[in-house]
Every structure is written in structure tokens, then in C-alpha cells.
Amino acid sequence: MELQELKDIWNQSDQQAERQFRINFDSLKKISIEKAKSILWPLQFNAIVETLVNALFLPPVLRFLVGYSSQPKFLIPALLLALMLLFTIAWNIYSIVLLATIDYQSPIVQTQKKLSNFNYRNSFRQQRLLYILYPVAQSCFLIMFCKAVPGIDLYDHPQFLVLQFVIGFVLVPVMIWIIKLSPDKTIAGALSFLNDIKRFEKED
Amino acid sequence: MNLQPDEERFILILQEKKKIIYKICNSYCRSVEDRKDLAQEIIIQLWKSLHKYNEQYQLSTWVYAIALNVAMAFHRSKKRKREVFAGLEIVVAIMDDTTEEREQEENLQLLYKFINELEELNKALMILYLDNNSYKEISLVLGITETNVATKINRIKQKLKQQFNNALKS
């Protein structure tokens, strides 16, 4: 089999396309293709919802932070929670902008690297970072919520607080163990594809 | 129905370049349903990128870049559900081969099979090469140097030839 023969075989696709591939131009004219959503839309939608939810929580947390700025025992949990919320909002805004500006006409290596880096970081944040930070966020939230709503100072109930922290920190290795038990395929896939791209770019 | 100039131009582009879309869909997807979904996604992205088309590039280079980028993103996306394309349900029809056609085009199916087994970026490289694009055009679409294109093509085509010869012998 010579190379030209391979090309000839490949060129049979053109006749096959004529027979088998029909684009319904009538329906294309009738429907509004502008409204069609891309495969990346679910990711964008999630990022928009997450931004809105976090933005809702941010003002009361900031108000609490300012109100108790002279009391470190309340200031520190409020500060931690505010930072987590701000990080999530910032990440999601970055995701929305990045996904909206993906330029498919750019060179393939460049576009795929951008997409894979995003997939890797997004999955890492969702599948690892948030699980690990969850116990800390939960304790901070309880301290703030109990003080702000029913007016209870959880530091006056050290047993509950210690229990809360212990449960929280016991959960961290449990979360890590669960993550290791079911490794996220998106993270592994994105990393392996990034390595493929690196190899592909390298001149042999 | 009166079409806007952009829509008319878009339909002309699709008519002229649909073979590229077809070959990329066949190379990246095995099932007919996936091929239809991918074709629709490529059409959506071509339309959305039309206003950014840079006339200094050849039309086919532009179509290849978008179609291959979308094919790779589609391939890697877990969310390739049909509901995403609700409004475009009947735009594309890719018929499955009839038995008779399958027999006639056994070699073509074999070639698609071998191309399908290549790594994603090598697959893109080989599609561009088999479609008679120059090394310069291939390097432009992929974003690697011409020397790199030449080296890689040489290695992959040897592999393909070998696979083909083995298959024909057996």
C-alpha cells in the first residue's frame, strides 16, 4: 500500500459525503441558529448560577465582618468565609469570560491547551479544593450564623465548638480518602491531554 | 424567505465545505448519533465565528481550524447531550452506510478505523495531510512549526501504511 493509495481511499469520502451527508438548509433558514447553545453552555450556566448564589451571601458576611472587626474571634471566621466567597466569585467570572471568548478559529494547539487547562483547574477546584475546605467553611458559617441570627456566642459553648471543629477536621482526611477512592476522570483526562499537547508541540 | 447576506454566505460556505465537516465527524465519532451532534456543533461554531473570519486565510483553513477544535472539545466534553441542540434538531442528517456501500468502501472504513485510533492531535494532523493541505497550511491550523509537521507526518504515515498492509494481508 503506497501513500497515494491511502490518499485515494481517503478521497472516496468526498463521494460518500455527497450521498450520506445532508444539511437541511430549509430548516437552517427557518430556525434561529443564534439561539443554539454550544456544548460549553452547561459549564457557563453552572458558573453563572454559582456566582449569583455566592454574591447573595457576600453582603451579609461583609456586614458581619465590619460589625465585628474589633473582635478577632468573630472577625477571623468572617474573613475566611468572605475570602472563600470572593475566590469562588472571581473564579466563576473568569470561567464565564474564558468560555465566552474561546476562539475556535485560533490554532488547535493553543485553543485545546486553553480548554484543557480550564477543565483541569475547574475540576480540581470543584472535586478537591471545595471538599477539603468545606469543614472549615462550615465551622466559620456556624459561628457567624449563631451570632448574627439567634445572637448565640458559640465560644460560650466550647464543647460544641470543639466537637464542630473535630468533626470538621476529621472530615478532611475522609474527604481526601473518598476523592482517592473515586479519582475524577476529568482531572486525569485533562492532565493527560495537556501532556499529549506538550509532546505534540515538541520538535523531535 | 429573504435571507440576510450573512446567512446566504453561510449557506454557501456549508455547501462548499460540507465534505470537510463530514470527514472530521467520521474521524472523531463512531456512532451516527454522535456524528450528527458533532456536525451540528461545528455548524453552530462556524456561524458564531463567521463575523470574525479573516479574509487573509483560505476559507478551508478557517473551516478546518474551527471544525477540528470543536471536534476535540466535543470529544472531551462529558456533556454532549442532544438537548443542547434543541433548536437544530433536523439540520443535519448523516445516514449510516448500507451493507452494499460498506462492502464497496471497506478500505475507506479501515482507514477511518486506523485514523480513529490515533491520538487526537495526530488524528487532526493526518486528516489535514490526507486532504492535501500544504505543510504551511497544516502548521497554521495546528499552531506548530512546519518542520514539526513534516517529522510527525512522516512517522504517522509509515505507521498507517504498515497497519494497512497488515490488515490487507490478514
Side-chain angles (χ1 to χ4, degrees), chain A residues 102-103 105-117 194 197 201, chain B residues 69 121 140-144:
Chain A
I102 286 278
D103 189 2
Q105 59 188 345
S106 304
I108 289 166
V109 163
Q110 189 186 315
T111 313
Q112 297 306 317
K113 208 190 279 178
K114 205 170 165 185
L115 270 174
S116 278
N117 266 322
L194 278 171
I197 296 175
E201 275 183 300
Chain B
N69 261 323
L121 291 158
L140 207 63
V141 173
L142 290 174
I144 56 174

Side-chain angles (χ1 to χ4, degrees), chain A residues 58-81:
Chain A
L58 194 60
V61 172
L62 289 178
R63 261 200 307 275
F64 185 92
L65 196 147
V66 173
Y68 290 91
S69 56
S70 56
Q71 299 182 52
K73 63 178 186 177
F74 293 119
L75 174 73
I76 292 167
L79 200 63
L80 282 173
L81 207 60

Side-chain angles (χ1 to χ4, degrees), chain B residues 46-137:
Chain B
L46 283 171
W47 171 254
K48 290 188 172 172
S49 305
L50 187 63
H51 67 281
K52 289 186 271 184
Y53 172 56
N54 184 345
E55 304 268 348
Q56 79 182 61
Y57 293 113
Q58 277 190 31
L59 187 59
S60 52
T61 310
W62 179 75
V63 174
Y64 274 118
I66 292 172
L68 286 167
N69 261 323
V70 172
M72 282 187 210
F74 180 88
H75 187 71
R76 314 200 66 74
S77 165
K78 285 194 281 186
K79 301 258 181 196
R80 43 184 200 231
K81 304 283 186 216
R82 293 187 65 73
E83 61 264 24
V84 177
F85 308 102
L88 273 174
E89 199 59 56
I90 48 169
V91 172
V92 177
I94 298 179
M95 273 75 78
D96 205 357
D97 302 350
T98 63
T99 313
E100 192 187 343
E101 279 165 352
R102 251 200 301 268
E103 279 166 12
Q104 286 170 351
E105 291 156 5
E106 217 167 71
N107 282 344
L108 180 60
Q109 297 306 321
L110 208 56
L111 184 57
Y112 270 130
K113 180 179 174 280
F114 293 143
I115 289 175
N116 212 303
E117 285 165 3
L118 292 172
E119 277 179 15
E120 280 174 62
L121 291 158
N122 288 335
K123 201 184 287 184
L125 181 77
M126 220 46 212
I127 293 170
L128 289 163
Y129 174 71
L130 288 169
D131 262 346
N132 289 320
N133 288 287
S134 68
Y135 284 5
K136 192 180 172 196
E137 280 165 332

